[in-house]
Amino acid sequence: MLRHVAKRSFGSLGIPQNKLKYIPKGGFYPKGFKVGSVASHVKKTGAPDLALIHSAKPCTAAGVFTTNKFKAAPVIVDKENLTLKKNEDFHSIIINSGCANAVTGNGGLSDAKDIINYVDKALHGTTYPVSKTLTMSTGVIGQRLQVDKIKSGIDNIVTEIDSQHEDWLKCAKGIMTTDTFPKLISRNFKINGIEYNIAGLVKGAGMICPNMATLLGLIITDAPIESITLQNLLSKSVDKSFNCISVDGDMSTNDTILSLSNGQSGGELITEQSGEVYEVFEKNFKEIAIELAKLVVRDGEGATKFITIKVKNAKNDEEAKQAANSVSNSALVKTAMFGKDANWGRILCAIGYSEIDVEPTKTNVSFVPSDGSAELKLLVNGEPQLVDENRASEILEHEDLEIAIDLGLEGKGECTFWTCDLTHDYVTINGDYRS
Amino acid sequence: MLRHVAKRSFGSLGIPQNKLKYIPKGGFYPKGFKVGSVASHVKKTGAPDLALIHSAKPCTAAGVFTTNKFKAAPVIVDKENLTLKKNEDFHSIIINSGCANAVTGNGGLSDAKDIINYVDKALHGTTYPVSKTLTMSTGVIGQRLQVDKIKSGIDNIVTEIDSQHEDWLKCAKGIMTTDTFPKLISRNFKINGIEYNIAGLVKGAGMICPNMATLLGLIITDAPIESITLQNLLSKSVDKSFNCISVDGDMSTNDTILSLSNGQSGGELITEQSGEVYEVFEKNFKEIAIELAKLVVRDGEGATKFITIKVKNAKNDEEAKQAANSVSNSALVKTAMFGKDANWGRILCAIGYSEIDVEPTKTNVSFVPSDGSAELKLLVNGEPQLVDENRASEILEHEDLEIAIDLGLEGKGECTFWTCDLTHDYVTINGDYRS
């Protein structure tokens, strides 16, 4: 009964042609980690649906989780275990896709614990009072995990994981749900002669909103980082990346970003007091988080446009974010972008109901083209400009677009936010997700 | 470039077949009002786009307006004039569709004043220090009114208005934008031998959200009501009607609900102290407001489903409304309803991020079928139920559906909210609204 059929041009891997450029052909991966994925057959398609990340050396760990009141079992279990072990002495992360293990009551909690203990046993030959494994789940809500299938998947995956580029890519594929391409980023850099590697993986697609959504993200590094520093760094980075994106404004029960660092790079322990080492490391870590977040928007369900919203001169940063958030969640703005319609009135309207301080006569809105050509002023100090509609159409033909909003207030608050358009394909994908 | 073409079966009036039942064939209209609409040709289609409501006797007036920070010129002018004249001594309301006169600066304010003075002149042969006419505009933002066209429309309309059913229907048609059918309701009732009439008109369609959106509503009565009482009654009624509906969560720069009462019914002046007269009148007035609000949802842009969300046992009424609002604005819930998918996890998820108090183990969610058959329990005290998917599909085949949410808390807070689904047609309509 869904009348619109999503049409895409797919490449050899079943990945849309226009997304192939986002898949790396190689990378720099943190030393001492083995990763991969297998098909545990929870997903009926036989696609890989169980991923594992493992370090033989113990890791410092950090996590940022959904604020949804209905937290999924893996979220509850991870939070508890991170607290119990003070973010120290973790070795693995097991991730299943296809079933979110959310709203599954006490049974769901037992299932999650059962799985992580089973991973410990498979990798270390024993279980522990508090597991050394963290876990993430994504997929349909309200269904119990098929624990037997996952356990047999774990039996397979522990012998499959390895440390090559292909293994990392397999891992990124194993966590996909409605994503159309695997999202993997890595970089390496030297500080004082020590070489550090960071790899990031993420899955997203729908239900993405500023306070994180069915978003599973992983930032893995071989740097030696103090646990409190890693946690702070992750929280700060998420705030400027995953909390600054929106696909549909929904926020899931499962959102989780985890980080592991095993110290295999060598070098001094990095703390917030480490000076330049910390600063360079922080910059790279944050940039990885932002790149991952942007990939999520690139692959927003049904998206055809990648929209950057830059707000400046708001009362403060918080209000800038509120305005950006409101614009990026407006169904009317998002459909206008899909329709390549320079309907800037809707942008203004969304700022107007965001409950922030605005002075209509000081507000400016422009489109900034992605090809570096001059910006197109739509509203200057509250006065609508005579817009050259041909020029507007030209700008809106590009996949990328920046909406620049200058609120003209004295507070100097600013925020950069990323979102996508709202399309027929979004409706199609979400109208029959479960079928 | 919009690939999906909205298909509808249209009746003889260009109105979808399935909406014809909402158009009244007759009515009971307030005495002493003349109404109607003409084509001023602001709309390129030649459809009627200028409506007038006029009472020879002076009216008490009341208004409820958008809270958007970018208020359109007619909103600013009406608010000011209502205040200046203490809600007394108004005769007319002039409404234009096709141009919202929003974000048009000082020029837009002059245009709005110019129009109402022109109406006064045409009807009373003179202008006044403060106009006796209120005004509303709806349509594209950021474009100036075509004042000459509208003035020539006013010249025509003052000789066209009359008091028959057809005139009221014409008036309802004149305020439409993307609405697919005119929305008109009327009723009459006797209290202590006096016969009162109330007529309601509304336009909606898109950009509808709890704090009112491009929603223009009119409640017109021949009852004699004290001005402060009319204002309070309107505010209270809007709170339980137009502020309890959502189409896309956007809130416009132009939302206005106005009320006029001319006292032509005779009988005592109605005040909040009038006892039974007030109570019966209030009940009828509120019911008209609720019926009008529901018609707006029925005609939500692209909507195929009419969804009632009933929340009970929340901490308080405010939190019940917040939960209902969150569910009714969730793109994921709305696309699932379009796809007839009993994906109740998304409902729960939207409650979970609404920032209200919930106890997962006390939460209950059911589908209540519109045919009076037994409800389908989806979640009981936080435990997912084994859902008979065939039964769920049966229920979701109906145009109407109720989602019952029992939060199981002690506060007894409750709220009824109305929304529609999110469809391909919504995207199509809003992807090229201006073209």
Side-chain angles (χ1 to χ4, degrees):
Chain A
M1 87 85 245
L2 287 164
R3 290 157 297 168
H4 180 80
V5 176
K7 282 192 207 97
R8 286 198 182 99
S9 167
F10 286 89
S12 60
L13 296 163
I15 290 163
Q17 287 286 3
N18 64 343
K19 298 288 160 63
L20 287 172
K21 60 179 176 282
Y22 301 116
I23 303 170
K25 299 208 167 50
F28 305 95
Y29 299 101
K31 290 187 273 285
F33 285 96
K34 289 186 171 183
V35 304
S37 70
V38 296
S40 76
H41 302 286
V42 166
K43 276 189 189 162
K44 288 174 194 153
T45 57
D49 55 10
L50 187 68
L52 179 65
I53 292 173
H54 175 66
S55 164
K57 291 231 170 175
C59 300
T60 295
V64 178
F65 301 93
T66 182
T67 59
N68 195 303
K69 293 270 170 75
F70 294 94
K71 288 180 187 16
V75 170
I76 296 169
V77 170
D78 283 354
K79 285 184 83 160
E80 191 175 283
N81 288 355
L82 280 167
T83 307
L84 286 171
K85 288 163 69 94
K86 298 184 175 146
N87 291 50
E88 299 281 0
D89 191 29
F90 288 90
H91 285 260
S92 317
I93 303 174
I94 183 91
I95 310 119
N96 76 284
S97 57
C99 173
N101 193 10
V103 201
T104 44
N106 287 324
L109 285 173
S110 309
D111 292 345
K113 287 176 188 166
D114 197 7
I115 298 289
I116 55 180
N117 288 329
Y118 197 85
V119 171
D120 287 342
K121 189 86 195 282
L123 287 165
H124 307 280
T126 179
T127 60
Y128 303 93
V130 182
S131 170
K132 294 178 188 287
T133 300
L134 293 164
T135 183
M136 297 164 135
S137 297
T138 175
V140 177
I141 298 177
Q143 294 179 1
R144 291 283 295 273
L145 279 184
Q146 296 172 272
V147 173
D148 288 346
K149 285 186 180 176
I150 293 177
K151 283 185 177 175
S152 111
I154 293 168
D155 292 337
N156 294 331
I157 201 168
V158 292
T159 64
E160 290 273 331
I161 49 174
D162 212 334
S163 54
Q164 302 305 304
H165 169 68
E166 288 64 35
D167 303 303
W168 284 90
L169 203 54
K170 263 170 81 175
C171 189
K173 280 181 194 162
I175 64 175
M176 287 165 59
T177 52
T178 55
D179 306 64
T180 69
F181 65 92
K183 297 169 192 69
L184 171 66
I185 281 173
S186 67
R187 60 167 72 183
N188 87 347
F189 48 95
K190 276 191 179 172
I191 316 174
N192 301 336
I194 304 284
E195 186 177 278
Y196 301 96
N197 297 285
I198 308 181
L201 303 88
V202 71
K203 64 89 36 187
M207 241 194 189
I208 304 303
C209 121
N211 287 311
M212 309 211 319
T214 300
L215 189 95
L216 300 184
L218 298 136
I219 304 182
I220 309 297
T221 179
D222 49 19
I225 313 178
E226 183 199 33
S227 56
I228 179 80
T229 299
L230 185 64
Q231 182 62 54
N232 288 345
L233 183 54
L234 184 66
S235 300
K236 277 198 281 183
S237 301
V238 166
D239 205 43
K240 296 284 181 198
S241 57
F242 299 108
N243 280 345
C244 285
I245 61 173
S246 163
V247 169
D248 56 17
D250 277 278
M251 186 200 307
S252 106
T253 48
N254 288 61
D255 307 335
T256 305
I257 312 284
L258 294 178
S259 190
L260 290 183
S261 64
N262 68 1
Q264 292 270 80
S265 65
E268 58 171 308
L269 184 71
I270 301 176
T271 74
E272 286 176 75
Q273 283 74 48
S274 300
E276 195 210 339
V277 181
Y278 175 75
E279 279 159 33
V280 176
F281 189 82
E282 180 190 35
K283 180 174 173 295
N284 280 282
F285 192 96
K286 255 194 198 163
E287 283 172 7
I288 289 261
I290 289 173
E291 280 181 58
L292 288 173
K294 286 162 85 169
L295 281 180
V296 171
V297 174
R298 287 266 171 224
D299 202 16
E301 283 171 347
T304 70
K305 292 254 174 284
F306 180 86
I307 305 160
T308 302
I309 297 170
K310 279 199 182 163
V311 178
K312 64 178 184 181
N313 297 317
K315 191 175 159 194
N316 52 45
D317 287 355
E318 198 42 55
E319 292 213 343
K321 196 168 184 173
Q322 217 171 313
N325 184 9
S326 183
V327 173
S328 74
N329 276 308
S330 158
L332 287 170
V333 171
K334 290 158 84 83
T335 47
M337 295 299 105
F338 172 55
K340 301 175 187 172
D341 180 357
N343 197 328
W344 57 267
R346 295 179 178 177
I347 297 168
L348 215 63
C349 185
I351 301 169
Y353 61 71
S354 71
E355 299 182 0
I356 63 156
D357 269 13
V358 293
E359 291 261 7
T361 59
K362 290 183 178 172
T363 309
N364 299 273
V365 179
S366 298
F367 283 164
V368 181
S370 58
D371 60 4
S373 60
E375 67 175 338
L376 180 69
K377 290 178 195 297
L378 303 165
L379 190 80
V380 176
N381 294 326
E383 290 295 330
Q385 304 300 291
L386 260 183
V387 174
D388 175 350
E389 294 281 346
N390 289 333
R391 176 71 182 129
S393 299
E394 229 173 73
I395 293 174
L396 289 165
E397 277 302 319
H398 295 289
E399 184 182 333
D400 287 28
L401 170 74
E402 180 184 316
I403 299 174
I405 298 164
D406 181 346
L407 295 171
L409 304 181
E410 291 191 347
K412 306 284 171 219
E414 57 180 29
C415 175
T416 302
F417 216 93
W418 299 277
T419 190
C420 57
D421 53 348
L422 173 59
T423 70
H424 293 130
D425 285 359
Y426 177 85
V427 176
T428 301
I429 293 165
N430 286 297
D432 62 357
Y433 176 61
R434 299 193 317 162
S435 38
Chain B
M1 84 86 241
L2 287 163
R3 291 157 294 167
H4 178 78
V5 177
K7 281 191 208 98
R8 286 196 183 99
S9 168
F10 286 89
S12 60
L13 296 162
I15 290 163
Q17 287 287 4
N18 64 342
K19 297 289 160 63
L20 288 172
K21 59 178 177 282
Y22 301 117
I23 303 170
K25 300 209 165 49
F28 305 95
Y29 299 103
K31 290 186 274 286
F33 285 95
K34 289 187 170 181
V35 305
S37 70
V38 296
S40 75
H41 302 285
V42 167
K43 276 189 190 163
K44 289 173 193 153
T45 56
D49 56 9
L50 187 69
L52 180 64
I53 293 172
H54 176 65
S55 164
K57 293 232 170 177
C59 300
T60 294
V64 178
F65 302 93
T66 181
T67 58
N68 196 303
K69 292 269 170 76
F70 294 95
K71 289 180 186 17
V75 171
I76 295 169
V77 170
D78 284 354
K79 285 184 81 159
E80 191 176 281
N81 288 355
L82 280 167
T83 307
L84 286 170
K85 289 163 69 92
K86 297 183 177 147
N87 291 52
E88 298 281 0
D89 192 29
F90 288 90
H91 284 260
S92 316
I93 304 173
I94 183 90
I95 310 119
N96 77 282
S97 57
C99 174
N101 193 10
V103 201
T104 45
N106 287 324
L109 284 172
S110 309
D111 293 344
K113 287 176 187 166
D114 198 6
I115 298 289
I116 55 180
N117 287 329
Y118 198 85
V119 172
D120 287 343
K121 190 84 195 285
L123 287 166
H124 307 279
T126 181
T127 59
Y128 303 93
V130 182
S131 171
K132 293 180 188 289
T133 301
L134 294 164
T135 183
M136 298 164 135
S137 297
T138 175
V140 177
I141 298 178
Q143 293 180 0
R144 291 283 293 274
L145 278 184
Q146 296 172 272
V147 173
D148 289 345
K149 285 186 179 174
I150 292 176
K151 283 184 176 175
S152 112
I154 292 168
D155 292 338
N156 294 331
I157 201 168
V158 292
T159 64
E160 291 271 331
I161 49 173
D162 212 335
S163 54
Q164 302 305 304
H165 169 68
E166 288 64 35
D167 304 304
W168 285 91
L169 204 53
K170 263 169 80 174
C171 190
K173 280 180 193 162
I175 63 174
M176 287 165 59
T177 52
T178 55
D179 305 65
T180 68
F181 65 92
K183 297 168 193 70
L184 171 65
I185 281 172
S186 68
R187 60 167 73 183
N188 88 345
F189 48 95
K190 277 192 179 171
I191 317 175
N192 300 337
I194 304 285
E195 186 177 278
Y196 301 96
N197 297 284
I198 308 180
L201 304 88
V202 71
K203 65 90 33 188
M207 239 193 192
I208 305 303
C209 119
N211 287 312
M212 308 210 320
T214 300
L215 189 93
L216 301 183
L218 298 136
I219 304 181
I220 310 296
T221 178
D222 49 18
I225 313 178
E226 185 198 33
S227 56
I228 179 80
T229 298
L230 186 64
Q231 183 61 54
N232 289 345
L233 183 54
L234 184 66
S235 300
K236 277 197 282 183
S237 301
V238 166
D239 204 44
K240 295 286 182 198
S241 57
F242 299 108
N243 279 345
C244 284
I245 61 174
S246 163
V247 169
D248 56 17
D250 277 280
M251 186 201 307
S252 107
T253 50
N254 288 60
D255 308 335
T256 305
I257 312 284
L258 294 178
S259 190
L260 291 182
S261 64
N262 67 2
Q264 292 271 80
S265 65
E268 57 170 309
L269 184 71
I270 301 176
T271 73
E272 286 175 74
Q273 283 73 48
S274 299
E276 195 208 340
V277 181
Y278 175 76
E279 279 161 32
V280 177
F281 190 82
E282 181 191 33
K283 179 174 174 293
N284 280 282
F285 192 97
K286 256 194 199 163
E287 283 172 6
I288 288 262
I290 289 173
E291 279 181 59
L292 288 172
K294 286 162 85 169
L295 282 181
V296 171
V297 175
R298 288 265 171 224
D299 202 17
E301 283 172 346
T304 69
K305 291 253 174 286
F306 180 87
I307 306 160
T308 302
I309 297 170
K310 280 199 183 164
V311 178
K312 65 177 184 181
N313 297 319
K315 192 174 159 195
N316 53 44
D317 287 356
E318 197 44 53
E319 292 213 343
K321 196 168 184 173
Q322 216 172 313
N325 184 9
S326 183
V327 172
S328 73
N329 276 307
S330 158
L332 287 169
V333 171
K334 290 158 83 84
T335 47
M337 295 300 104
F338 172 55
K340 301 175 186 172
D341 180 356
N343 197 328
W344 57 266
R346 295 180 179 177
I347 298 168
L348 214 64
C349 185
I351 302 169
Y353 62 71
S354 70
E355 299 183 0
I356 63 156
D357 269 14
V358 294
E359 292 260 7
T361 58
K362 290 183 178 172
T363 308
N364 299 272
V365 178
S366 299
F367 284 163
V368 181
S370 57
D371 60 3
S373 60
E375 67 175 338
L376 180 70
K377 291 177 194 295
L378 303 165
L379 190 80
V380 175
N381 294 327
E383 289 294 329
Q385 304 299 292
L386 259 184
V387 174
D388 175 350
E389 294 282 344
N390 289 333
R391 176 72 183 129
S393 299
E394 229 174 73
I395 293 173
L396 287 166
E397 276 303 318
H398 295 288
E399 186 183 332
D400 288 27
L401 170 73
E402 180 186 317
I403 300 174
I405 298 164
D406 180 347
L407 294 171
L409 304 180
E410 290 192 348
K412 307 285 171 216
E414 56 180 29
C415 175
T416 303
F417 216 92
W418 299 277
T419 190
C420 57
D421 53 347
L422 173 59
T423 69
H424 293 131
D425 284 359
Y426 176 86
V427 176
T428 301
I429 294 164
N430 285 297
D432 63 355
Y433 176 61
R434 299 193 316 163
S435 40

